[in-house]
Amino acid sequence: MAEQLPILEVDNLHTHFFTKSGVVKAVDGVSFSVKPGETLGIVGESGSGKSITAMSVMKLVPSPPGRIVDGDVRFNGDSLLPKTEKEMRKIRGKDISMIFQDPMTSLNPVFSVEKQMLETILTHEDMNKHQARKRAVELLDLVGIPDAKKRLKNYPHEFSGGMRQRVMIAMALACNPKVLIADEPTTALDVTIQAQILALLKRLQKELGMAIIMITHDLGVVAEVCDRVMVMYGGKPVEFASVKELFDGPKHPYTWGLLSSIPQIHNRKERLEAIQGLPPDLRHLPEGCSFAPRCTHVKDSCLHIDPALLEDDTDHFVRCLLYEEEEKVIQP
Protein backbone atom coordinates (compact mmCIF):
# COMPACT_ATOMS: atom_id res chain seq x y z
CA MET A 1 0.00 0.00 0.00
CA ALA A 2 1.41 3.39 -1.03
CA GLU A 3 2.30 5.79 1.77
CA GLN A 4 -0.19 8.62 2.21
CA LEU A 5 1.13 11.99 1.05
CA PRO A 6 0.84 15.13 3.22
CA ILE A 7 -2.15 17.33 2.43
CA LEU A 8 -0.48 20.44 3.90
CA GLU A 9 3.25 21.22 3.88
CA VAL A 10 5.00 24.21 5.43
CA ASP A 11 8.60 24.60 4.28
CA ASN A 12 11.11 26.92 6.02
CA LEU A 13 8.48 29.59 6.67
CA HIS A 14 9.64 33.06 7.78
CA THR A 15 7.07 35.72 8.72
CA HIS A 16 8.37 39.10 9.91
CA PHE A 17 6.69 42.28 11.14
CA PHE A 18 8.40 45.50 10.12
CA THR A 19 7.78 48.04 12.87
CA LYS A 20 9.30 51.39 13.84
CA SER A 21 11.08 49.74 16.76
CA GLY A 22 12.61 46.98 14.66
CA VAL A 23 11.90 43.77 12.72
CA VAL A 24 9.89 41.23 14.71
CA LYS A 25 10.83 37.72 13.57
CA ALA A 26 7.55 36.14 14.63
CA VAL A 27 8.05 32.97 12.57
CA ASP A 28 11.67 32.15 11.90
CA GLY A 29 12.18 28.96 9.89
CA VAL A 30 9.19 26.70 10.61
CA SER A 31 8.71 23.46 8.67
CA PHE A 32 6.13 20.72 9.15
CA SER A 33 3.61 18.62 7.26
CA VAL A 34 0.31 16.98 8.13
CA LYS A 35 -1.47 14.06 6.44
CA PRO A 36 -5.23 13.44 6.04
CA GLY A 37 -6.66 12.07 9.28
CA GLU A 38 -3.64 13.19 11.31
CA THR A 39 -3.55 15.70 14.18
CA LEU A 40 -0.45 17.85 14.69
CA GLY A 41 -0.14 19.76 17.95
CA ILE A 42 1.77 23.05 18.13
CA VAL A 43 2.63 24.10 21.69
CA GLY A 44 4.57 26.85 23.39
CA GLU A 45 4.20 29.94 25.54
CA SER A 46 2.39 33.06 24.38
CA GLY A 47 4.55 34.88 21.83
CA SER A 48 6.31 31.75 20.58
CA GLY A 49 4.86 32.14 17.07
CA LYS A 50 2.09 29.52 17.11
CA SER A 51 -0.81 31.71 15.97
CA ILE A 52 1.24 33.67 13.42
CA THR A 53 2.28 30.35 11.87
CA ALA A 54 -1.41 29.51 11.46
CA MET A 55 -2.24 32.98 10.11
CA SER A 56 0.61 32.65 7.61
CA VAL A 57 -0.79 29.33 6.33
CA MET A 58 -4.15 31.05 5.76
CA LYS A 59 -2.45 34.17 4.30
CA LEU A 60 -4.19 36.32 6.91
CA VAL A 61 -1.11 38.12 8.26
CA PRO A 62 -1.93 41.87 8.32
CA SER A 63 0.21 43.67 5.75
CA PRO A 64 1.64 46.12 6.58
CA PRO A 65 3.41 45.54 8.92
CA GLY A 66 3.57 41.75 8.48
CA ARG A 67 5.02 39.89 5.51
CA ILE A 68 6.00 36.33 4.64
CA VAL A 69 9.63 36.88 3.60
CA ASP A 70 10.71 33.32 2.84
CA GLY A 71 9.53 29.71 2.62
CA ASP A 72 6.49 28.06 1.11
CA VAL A 73 3.06 26.68 2.06
CA ARG A 74 1.64 23.90 -0.13
CA PHE A 75 -1.88 22.46 -0.08
CA ASN A 76 -2.16 19.20 -2.01
CA GLY A 77 1.19 20.07 -3.59
CA ASP A 78 -0.03 23.48 -4.81
CA SER A 79 1.78 26.56 -3.44
CA LEU A 80 -0.54 29.01 -1.67
CA LEU A 81 1.80 31.99 -1.39
CA PRO A 82 1.52 33.16 -5.05
CA LYS A 83 -2.29 33.01 -4.95
CA THR A 84 -4.35 36.19 -5.08
CA GLU A 85 -6.77 37.21 -2.34
CA LYS A 86 -9.70 36.16 -4.57
CA GLU A 87 -8.18 32.70 -5.02
CA MET A 88 -7.52 32.37 -1.29
CA ARG A 89 -11.13 33.23 -0.44
CA LYS A 90 -12.19 30.12 -2.37
CA ILE A 91 -9.81 27.98 -0.29
CA ARG A 92 -10.47 29.50 3.15
CA GLY A 93 -13.49 27.91 4.78
CA LYS A 94 -13.84 25.26 2.08
CA ASP A 95 -10.50 23.42 1.91
CA ILE A 96 -8.67 24.96 4.88
CA SER A 97 -10.71 26.28 7.79
CA MET A 98 -9.70 27.91 11.05
CA ILE A 99 -11.16 28.19 14.53
CA PHE A 100 -9.85 31.53 15.73
CA GLN A 101 -8.58 32.05 19.25
CA ASP A 102 -10.86 34.89 20.33
CA PRO A 103 -14.57 34.49 19.41
CA MET A 104 -15.26 37.98 20.82
CA THR A 105 -13.40 39.61 17.93
CA SER A 106 -13.87 36.90 15.28
CA LEU A 107 -17.66 37.21 15.12
CA ASN A 108 -19.12 40.43 13.70
CA PRO A 109 -21.24 42.04 16.45
CA VAL A 110 -23.63 43.81 14.02
CA PHE A 111 -24.79 40.65 12.19
CA SER A 112 -26.78 37.73 13.53
CA VAL A 113 -25.18 34.31 13.84
CA GLU A 114 -27.52 33.14 11.07
CA LYS A 115 -26.28 35.75 8.59
CA GLN A 116 -22.64 34.97 9.34
CA MET A 117 -23.07 31.20 9.09
CA LEU A 118 -25.16 31.39 5.92
CA GLU A 119 -22.57 33.61 4.25
CA THR A 120 -19.92 30.91 4.74
CA ILE A 121 -22.16 28.06 3.58
CA LEU A 122 -23.61 29.82 0.53
CA THR A 123 -20.17 30.99 -0.60
CA HIS A 124 -18.73 27.49 -0.80
CA GLU A 125 -21.65 25.06 -1.09
CA ASP A 126 -24.21 24.52 -3.84
CA MET A 127 -27.24 25.23 -1.63
CA ASN A 128 -30.19 27.59 -1.54
CA LYS A 129 -30.98 29.68 1.55
CA HIS A 130 -33.42 27.14 2.96
CA GLN A 131 -30.88 24.31 2.69
CA ALA A 132 -28.11 26.51 4.11
CA ARG A 133 -30.27 27.50 7.09
CA LYS A 134 -31.08 23.85 7.78
CA ARG A 135 -27.35 23.04 7.63
CA ALA A 136 -26.59 25.90 10.06
CA VAL A 137 -29.13 24.57 12.58
CA GLU A 138 -27.60 21.07 12.28
CA LEU A 139 -24.14 22.50 12.96
CA LEU A 140 -25.21 24.47 16.03
CA ASP A 141 -26.95 21.38 17.36
CA LEU A 142 -23.82 19.35 16.61
CA VAL A 143 -21.63 21.57 18.82
CA GLY A 144 -24.11 21.43 21.68
CA ILE A 145 -26.01 24.73 21.49
CA PRO A 146 -29.53 24.11 22.88
CA ASP A 147 -32.59 25.28 20.94
CA ALA A 148 -30.36 25.79 17.89
CA LYS A 149 -33.11 26.94 15.52
CA LYS A 150 -34.06 29.82 17.83
CA ARG A 151 -30.50 30.74 18.79
CA LEU A 152 -29.54 31.04 15.12
CA LYS A 153 -31.38 34.38 15.07
CA ASN A 154 -29.36 35.76 17.99
CA TYR A 155 -26.45 38.18 17.81
CA PRO A 156 -22.97 37.35 19.20
CA HIS A 157 -23.46 39.50 22.33
CA GLU A 158 -26.40 37.29 23.30
CA PHE A 159 -24.11 34.28 23.71
CA SER A 160 -21.70 33.52 26.53
CA GLY A 161 -17.98 33.26 25.76
CA GLY A 162 -18.14 29.48 25.62
CA MET A 163 -21.21 29.55 23.37
CA ARG A 164 -19.50 32.00 21.00
CA GLN A 165 -16.56 29.62 20.80
CA ARG A 166 -18.94 26.80 19.84
CA VAL A 167 -20.45 29.00 17.13
CA MET A 168 -16.93 29.56 15.76
CA ILE A 169 -16.32 25.81 15.72
CA ALA A 170 -19.63 25.23 13.90
CA MET A 171 -18.71 27.84 11.27
CA ALA A 172 -15.27 26.28 10.77
CA LEU A 173 -16.82 22.84 10.18
CA ALA A 174 -19.63 24.13 7.94
CA CYS A 175 -18.08 23.05 4.63
CA ASN A 176 -16.31 19.87 5.78
CA PRO A 177 -12.76 21.24 5.34
CA LYS A 178 -9.84 18.98 4.46
CA VAL A 179 -7.57 20.84 6.93
CA LEU A 180 -8.82 22.39 10.17
CA ILE A 181 -6.55 24.78 12.08
CA ALA A 182 -7.78 25.05 15.66
CA ASP A 183 -6.19 27.95 17.56
CA GLU A 184 -6.89 27.36 21.26
CA PRO A 185 -10.38 25.99 20.42
CA THR A 186 -11.34 25.13 24.00
CA THR A 187 -9.84 28.07 25.92
CA ALA A 188 -13.17 29.64 26.98
CA LEU A 189 -14.87 26.33 27.79
CA ASP A 190 -15.15 24.47 31.09
CA VAL A 191 -13.54 21.03 31.31
CA THR A 192 -16.78 19.13 30.64
CA ILE A 193 -17.59 21.05 27.46
CA GLN A 194 -13.90 20.94 26.49
CA ALA A 195 -14.01 17.15 26.58
CA GLN A 196 -17.19 17.15 24.47
CA ILE A 197 -15.66 19.47 21.84
CA LEU A 198 -12.45 17.42 21.61
CA ALA A 199 -14.50 14.23 21.25
CA LEU A 200 -16.56 15.96 18.53
CA LEU A 201 -13.44 17.00 16.60
CA LYS A 202 -12.02 13.48 16.84
CA ARG A 203 -15.28 11.95 15.60
CA LEU A 204 -15.60 14.39 12.68
CA GLN A 205 -11.96 13.84 11.81
CA LYS A 206 -12.55 10.09 11.62
CA GLU A 207 -15.68 10.53 9.49
CA LEU A 208 -14.23 13.13 7.09
CA GLY A 209 -10.54 12.14 7.04
CA MET A 210 -9.78 15.72 8.04
CA ALA A 211 -6.27 16.84 9.02
CA ILE A 212 -6.16 18.96 12.19
CA ILE A 213 -3.51 21.40 13.40
CA MET A 214 -4.17 21.94 17.11
CA ILE A 215 -2.55 25.09 18.53
CA THR A 216 -2.61 25.07 22.30
CA HIS A 217 -0.69 25.75 25.50
CA ASP A 218 -2.46 22.82 27.19
CA LEU A 219 -0.32 19.68 27.06
CA GLY A 220 -3.31 17.73 28.37
CA VAL A 221 -5.15 18.53 25.12
CA VAL A 222 -2.07 17.46 23.15
CA ALA A 223 -1.95 14.11 24.95
CA GLU A 224 -5.68 13.60 24.32
CA VAL A 225 -5.99 14.31 20.60
CA CYS A 226 -2.63 14.72 18.83
CA ASP A 227 -0.48 12.24 16.91
CA ARG A 228 2.63 14.41 16.62
CA VAL A 229 3.69 17.60 18.34
CA MET A 230 5.93 20.56 17.52
CA VAL A 231 7.23 22.63 20.42
CA MET A 232 7.92 26.27 19.49
CA TYR A 233 10.05 28.89 21.23
CA GLY A 234 11.10 32.31 19.97
CA GLY A 235 9.49 31.77 16.56
CA LYS A 236 11.31 28.47 15.94
CA PRO A 237 10.53 24.79 16.44
CA VAL A 238 12.80 23.43 19.21
CA GLU A 239 11.47 19.87 19.37
CA PHE A 240 9.41 17.70 17.03
CA ALA A 241 8.25 14.17 17.84
CA SER A 242 5.33 11.80 18.16
CA VAL A 243 3.20 12.48 21.24
CA LYS A 244 4.35 9.23 22.86
CA GLU A 245 8.03 10.06 22.22
CA LEU A 246 7.62 13.59 23.56
CA PHE A 247 5.93 12.57 26.80
CA ASP A 248 8.07 9.47 27.39
CA GLY A 249 11.41 11.04 26.47
CA PRO A 250 11.42 14.83 26.06
CA LYS A 251 14.84 16.10 24.99
CA HIS A 252 14.85 19.91 24.94
CA PRO A 253 15.27 21.79 28.25
CA TYR A 254 12.30 24.00 27.30
CA THR A 255 10.08 20.93 26.85
CA TRP A 256 11.29 19.65 30.23
CA GLY A 257 10.17 22.95 31.73
CA LEU A 258 6.74 22.81 30.11
CA LEU A 259 6.14 19.25 31.33
CA SER A 260 7.43 20.05 34.83
CA SER A 261 4.88 22.85 35.16
CA ILE A 262 1.95 20.41 34.86
CA PRO A 263 0.36 19.33 38.17
CA GLN A 264 0.83 15.60 38.88
CA ILE A 265 -2.00 13.77 40.68
CA HIS A 266 0.42 11.38 42.42
CA ASN A 267 2.70 14.26 43.53
CA ARG A 268 0.19 16.82 44.76
CA LYS A 269 2.41 17.94 47.63
CA GLU A 270 5.35 18.81 45.40
CA ARG A 271 5.83 22.43 44.38
CA LEU A 272 5.34 23.07 40.65
CA GLU A 273 8.48 24.09 38.78
CA ALA A 274 8.35 27.30 36.76
CA ILE A 275 10.54 28.24 33.80
CA GLN A 276 12.53 31.20 35.09
CA GLY A 277 12.76 34.45 33.12
CA LEU A 278 10.70 35.77 30.22
CA PRO A 279 10.31 34.82 26.54
CA PRO A 280 12.78 36.63 24.25
CA ASP A 281 12.13 39.97 22.58
CA LEU A 282 11.64 38.88 18.95
CA ARG A 283 13.07 42.23 17.76
CA HIS A 284 16.38 41.58 19.51
CA LEU A 285 16.98 37.85 19.62
CA PRO A 286 20.17 36.70 21.40
CA GLU A 287 23.16 35.76 19.27
CA GLY A 288 23.10 32.08 20.20
CA CYS A 289 20.25 29.86 21.38
CA SER A 290 17.09 31.87 22.11
CA PHE A 291 16.40 29.77 25.20
CA ALA A 292 19.93 30.12 26.64
CA PRO A 293 19.10 33.04 29.03
CA ARG A 294 16.48 30.83 30.74
CA CYS A 295 18.12 27.42 30.42
CA THR A 296 19.43 25.58 33.50
CA HIS A 297 21.83 23.55 31.30
CA VAL A 298 23.36 26.50 29.44
CA LYS A 299 27.00 26.29 28.30
CA ASP A 300 29.30 29.00 26.93
CA SER A 301 28.77 27.74 23.37
CA CYS A 302 24.99 28.18 23.76
CA LEU A 303 25.48 31.95 24.04
CA HIS A 304 27.20 32.19 20.64
CA ILE A 305 25.90 29.32 18.48
CA ASP A 306 22.31 29.05 17.26
CA PRO A 307 21.74 25.27 17.08
CA ALA A 308 20.13 23.59 14.09
CA LEU A 309 17.07 21.32 14.35
CA LEU A 310 18.68 17.88 14.15
CA GLU A 311 17.23 14.37 14.17
CA ASP A 312 18.32 12.80 17.45
CA ASP A 313 16.35 9.56 17.14
CA THR A 314 14.08 8.26 14.41
CA ASP A 315 11.54 11.04 13.71
CA HIS A 316 12.53 12.84 16.92
CA PHE A 317 14.08 16.24 16.20
CA VAL A 318 15.61 18.62 18.73
CA ARG A 319 17.30 22.04 18.51
CA CYS A 320 19.91 21.95 21.26
CA LEU A 321 23.70 21.90 21.51
CA LEU A 322 23.48 19.29 24.29
CA TYR A 323 22.85 16.70 21.59
CA GLU A 324 25.73 17.70 19.37
CA GLU A 325 28.24 16.19 21.79
CA GLU A 326 29.06 12.58 22.56
CA GLU A 327 27.72 12.57 26.11
CA LYS A 328 24.06 13.47 26.10
CA VAL A 329 22.34 15.06 29.05
CA ILE A 330 19.80 12.89 30.82
CA GLN A 331 16.53 14.61 31.69
CA PRO A 332 16.59 15.70 35.34
Side-chain angles (χ1 to χ4, degrees):
M1 186 174 178
E3 186 180 351
Q4 201 171 29
L5 295 174
I7 190 168
L8 183 71
E9 299 169 277
V10 175
D11 184 16
N12 195 32
L13 187 68
H14 292 72
T15 303
H16 297 174
F17 288 82
F18 298 87
T19 70
K20 291 181 179 178
S21 57
V23 178
V24 179
K25 297 180 179 179
V27 178
D28 195 20
V30 171
S31 298
F32 63 84
S33 64
V34 61
K35 297 177 181 178
E38 182 183 36
T39 301
L40 171 69
I42 302 179
V43 300
E45 294 169 291
S46 296
S48 62
K50 307 185 303 295
S51 295
I52 297 300
T53 298
M55 299 288 274
S56 299
V57 170
M58 299 287 285
K59 287 193 69 177
L60 289 174
V61 175
S63 180
R67 192 167 77 241
I68 298 173
V69 297
D70 197 9
D72 198 9
V73 178
R74 295 183 293 274
F75 174 74
N76 269 339
D78 185 21
S79 179
L80 299 182
L81 298 189
K83 293 192 180 298
T84 64
E85 179 60 23
K86 184 178 180 181
E87 290 171 325
M88 283 303 300
R89 280 198 296 266
K90 294 179 181 178
I91 294 172
R92 296 189 199 114
K94 175 64 176 176
D95 294 319
I96 307 175
S97 195
M98 186 168 177
I99 302 170
F100 292 93
Q101 186 172 359
D102 186 3
M104 291 286 287
T105 57
S106 300
L107 292 170
N108 193 321
V110 301
F111 294 119
S112 67
V113 166
E114 178 182 36
K115 184 173 179 62
Q116 295 182 65
M117 291 191 71
L118 261 58
E119 181 181 12
T120 299
I121 297 169
L122 292 172
T123 298
H124 298 292
E125 300 291 336
D126 185 17
M127 293 183 180
N128 57 39
K129 271 196 172 184
H130 175 74
Q131 293 170 322
R133 190 174 291 109
K134 184 179 178 182
R135 171 67 173 158
V137 172
E138 290 172 354
L139 287 162
L140 291 184
D141 188 55
L142 191 68
V143 296
I145 293 181
D147 201 4
K149 190 172 183 178
K150 182 180 178 181
R151 296 307 302 271
L152 192 63
K153 302 288 186 182
N154 291 155
Y155 287 78
H157 72 271
E158 297 177 273
F159 290 81
S160 67
M163 286 292 187
R164 280 192 290 264
Q165 188 73 321
R166 287 195 239 182
V167 170
M168 285 298 305
I169 293 170
M171 290 176 67
L173 297 173
C175 301
N176 299 331
K178 296 178 179 66
V179 178
L180 176 67
I181 301 173
D183 191 358
E184 304 279 7
T186 58
T187 297
L189 307 178
D190 61 56
V191 290
T192 304
I193 302 302
Q194 174 178 295
Q196 293 174 3
I197 292 297
L198 293 177
L200 170 66
L201 291 176
K202 288 171 71 175
R203 178 170 65 81
L204 290 172
Q205 181 182 43
K206 189 175 181 180
E207 292 175 2
L208 304 173
M210 179 173 59
I212 297 178
I213 298 173
M214 180 72 68
I215 298 171
T216 181
H217 64 276
D218 189 338
L219 287 166
V221 170
V222 170
E224 177 73 20
V225 302
C226 296
D227 301 303
R228 293 183 298 140
V229 58
M230 179 172 71
V231 181
M232 288 189 68
Y233 184 82
K236 298 178 179 180
V238 295
E239 189 162 0
F240 203 127
S242 69
V243 167
K244 186 178 187 307
E245 283 280 341
L246 191 90
F247 280 85
D248 289 351
K251 298 183 180 298
H252 198 282
Y254 179 59
T255 310
W256 300 343
L258 291 177
L259 291 171
S260 298
S261 65
I262 301 174
Q264 303 291 329
I265 293 177
H266 57 280
N267 285 329
R268 286 183 292 176
K269 292 183 180 180
E270 286 192 11
R271 189 180 183 91
L272 290 178
E273 295 182 24
I275 302 174
Q276 299 300 317
L278 297 171
D281 184 344
L282 297 179
R283 297 168 302 174
H284 308 290
L285 290 168
E287 180 185 348
C289 174
S290 297
F291 188 62
R294 306 173 70 188
C295 184
T296 54
H297 294 81
V298 64
K299 305 180 299 181
D300 288 341
S301 56
C302 300
L303 302 174
H304 307 290
I305 301 172
D306 186 10
L309 187 69
L310 300 176
E311 188 172 13
D312 186 59
D313 292 328
T314 304
D315 293 329
H316 194 147
F317 296 81
V318 62
R319 187 189 299 274
C320 184
L321 293 178
L322 296 176
Y323 298 92
E324 293 186 6
E325 300 191 356
E326 291 183 7
E327 292 187 9
K328 298 183 180 180
V329 171
I330 299 174
Q331 180 190 356

